[in-house]
Amino acid sequence: MSWKNQSGGPWGNGPRGPWGSGPSSSGPTPPDLEDLIRRSQDQLRNILPSAFGGKGIAIIIALVVFGWFMSGWYVVRPNEQGVVLRFGAFQGVTQPGPNYHWPYPIETVLTPRVTEFNRIDIGMRVGEDSRRSSSGMRDVPEESQMLTGDENIVDVDFVVIWKISDPEQYLFNVQNPEGTIKAVAESAMREVIGRTNIQPILTGARQNIETGVQELMQSVLNSYKAGVQITQVQLQKVDPPSQVIDAFRDVQAARADAERVQNEAQAYANRVLPEARGEASRVENAAQAYRERTVVEARGQAARFIKVFDEYQKAKDVTRQRMYLETMERVLGGMDKVVVDQSATRSGAGGGNSGVVPVLPLADMLRRQPAPVVQPQGGTR
């Protein structure tokens, strides 16, 4: 027995279903689809003028085709390069200026900014809560805390500056270029920090760390063919963890004092040693000069004695008298006393002291006389 022959079904008499009234055969019939299409065509003919027949449709089609061809023109800005894709596949690179490609959907163009320098912050963020801090940055410990080569923890915040070097590789070889660059930068920094002790990291090894990270990042990204050039790596903050930063500062101050004392000692040694060497050289030169002078004088005295001895052998009396007179002249020449030979005066004519003329030493008397005392005028009477 079919469902139509039942008088209302199992839920009672009449055309009712379990959820209320069922379909009624006396309701409106659905519209005919062919009749609806025919009416639409008649309305379109009434709207368009009769003269706008096949020729007008051809003009419209031509205009549409012309506009479609004109949509292939595009302009590449000075800081961009155009990457043309034909059905999604790489076709070529166009330079800045007006260019043309086959309209969509045959060809499309992408214009990455190849001369723009991009920045990625690692270990810090500019967030909504950064307004509470004076520096305007929010620290990200899971990115900044790293382990050094001597098993110490250091907090490193740094910035990576990069730009696009190859648009084709940048667009098609790496799915997320910025995320890849960030991951490579963090990995490279951890590797370089892991090979370095904490003391150079906190003091004078910043330039070496930046250069090492940049070279390592560029090598890894080149192996990925990411089409990216790393132009600079800048260390922003390199500090120990906040829990031990005071102890590290004390150690740093002690090391600075030690270096200062060593520098002062080295400066003192650099000043004293040349002076001592100069004094020793002076004494040595003086001794050498004294030795040479003494030897020369001794040789001269010996030569003089030999000459005098030769003369003495020739005329002993005359030489003996001459030597006596020269010796007395040398001995008595600086004395202010006069020695009179009595035998010489007796042998003179007339005898007595006629050969001696007394001399009054006025010059010596004036030199020995004290200066006169000048009495002040207006004294007591």
Side-chain angles (χ1 to χ4, degrees):
M1 179 185 300
S2 64
W3 181 259
K4 293 182 181 180
N5 295 329
Q6 296 181 2
S7 60
W11 291 282
N13 297 326
R16 295 179 59 84
W19 297 280
S21 60
S24 177
S25 59
S26 61
T29 59
D32 189 2
L33 183 60
E34 294 181 358
D35 183 59
L36 182 62
I37 294 175
R38 191 181 302 108
R39 290 178 182 179
S40 300
Q41 292 177 352
D42 294 338
Q43 291 178 359
L44 181 61
R45 290 191 187 94
N46 294 330
I47 294 173
L48 294 177
S50 59
F52 207 73
K55 184 177 180 181
I57 294 175
I59 294 174
I60 292 176
I61 294 174
L63 291 175
V64 170
V65 172
F66 177 77
W68 180 71
F69 274 103
M70 291 300 296
S71 64
W73 285 100
Y74 65 97
V75 177
V76 180
R77 297 179 181 178
N79 62 336
E80 299 174 343
Q81 280 187 352
V83 179
V84 180
L85 308 179
R86 180 174 296 172
F87 297 111
F90 175 76
Q91 183 65 24
V93 177
T94 56
Q95 299 303 319
N99 297 274
Y100 183 81
H101 68 86
W102 284 100
Y104 179 85
I106 299 177
E107 288 184 350
T108 57
V109 64
L110 301 176
T111 56
R113 299 178 179 179
V114 295
T115 62
E116 182 176 326
F117 290 93
N118 304 282
R119 170 186 173 125
I120 296 179
D121 298 328
I122 300 177
M124 54 186 175
R125 295 289 187 278
V126 179
E128 295 179 357
D129 56 347
S130 63
R131 291 172 292 183
R132 302 176 184 176
S133 62
S134 59
S135 60
M137 304 298 292
R138 176 173 56 88
D139 194 20
V140 184
E142 57 271 18
E143 296 180 357
S144 61
Q145 290 187 358
M146 305 178 185
L147 190 65
T148 63
D150 51 359
E151 298 182 354
N152 287 296
I153 297 177
V154 66
D155 196 354
V156 180
D157 295 343
F158 63 102
V159 174
V160 177
I161 308 297
W162 61 278
K163 69 175 184 177
I164 301 172
S165 59
D166 191 327
E168 179 186 0
Q169 295 181 356
Y170 176 78
L171 293 173
F172 301 108
N173 290 352
V174 180
Q175 183 177 5
N176 184 8
E178 292 190 4
T180 302
I181 295 171
K182 181 180 177 182
V184 170
E186 186 176 348
S187 176
M189 181 61 73
R190 291 186 184 278
E191 181 176 346
V192 174
I193 293 295
R195 297 197 304 255
T196 311
N197 294 336
I198 190 171
Q199 188 60 33
I201 295 174
L202 298 177
T203 54
R206 288 174 173 255
Q207 185 66 32
N208 296 334
I209 293 174
E210 293 175 350
T211 303
V213 172
Q214 180 179 353
E215 293 177 354
L216 184 58
M217 286 186 61
Q218 192 65 59
S219 176
V220 174
L221 291 172
N222 289 342
S223 66
Y224 292 167
K225 296 182 179 180
V228 171
Q229 179 184 358
I230 305 299
T231 59
Q232 192 175 10
V233 176
Q234 298 177 354
L235 290 175
Q236 300 296 313
K237 184 189 71 172
V238 182
D239 290 327
S242 58
Q243 295 83 355
V244 295
I245 191 170
D246 294 335
F248 269 91
R249 287 177 178 173
D250 294 339
V251 174
Q252 195 71 14
R255 292 175 186 257
D257 292 339
E259 291 181 359
R260 178 181 56 81
V261 173
Q262 290 178 359
N263 293 335
E264 291 178 355
Q266 187 66 32
Y268 177 77
N270 294 336
R271 186 180 70 253
V272 172
L273 288 178
E275 293 179 356
R277 292 192 183 98
E279 183 66 19
S281 178
R282 186 188 64 80
V283 173
E284 184 179 359
N285 293 334
Q288 185 71 18
Y290 175 76
R291 182 181 70 84
E292 293 179 357
R293 186 180 70 250
T294 303
V295 170
V296 171
E297 289 179 354
R299 290 175 180 173
Q301 291 292 338
R304 179 177 175 276
F305 178 80
I306 293 174
K307 289 182 178 292
V308 172
F309 181 74
D310 293 340
E311 296 295 331
Y312 177 76
Q313 292 293 336
K314 295 177 182 179
K316 296 184 178 181
D317 296 336
V318 175
T319 304
R320 187 184 300 109
Q321 184 68 20
R322 178 184 174 185
M323 292 174 61
Y324 171 77
L325 294 177
E326 289 179 353
T327 302
M328 296 305 295
E329 180 182 3
R330 186 170 59 254
V331 172
L332 301 177
M335 300 178 61
D336 54 355
K337 294 182 180 181
V338 178
V339 179
V340 179
D341 188 0
Q342 296 295 333
S343 62
T345 57
R346 292 193 188 95
S347 62
N353 296 332
S354 59
V356 178
V357 179
V359 178
L360 182 62
L362 295 178
D364 295 340
M365 294 174 63
L366 292 175
R367 191 163 50 249
R368 296 189 185 121
Q369 185 177 358
V373 180
V374 179
Q375 294 293 336
Q377 298 180 1
T380 56
R381 296 181 180 178

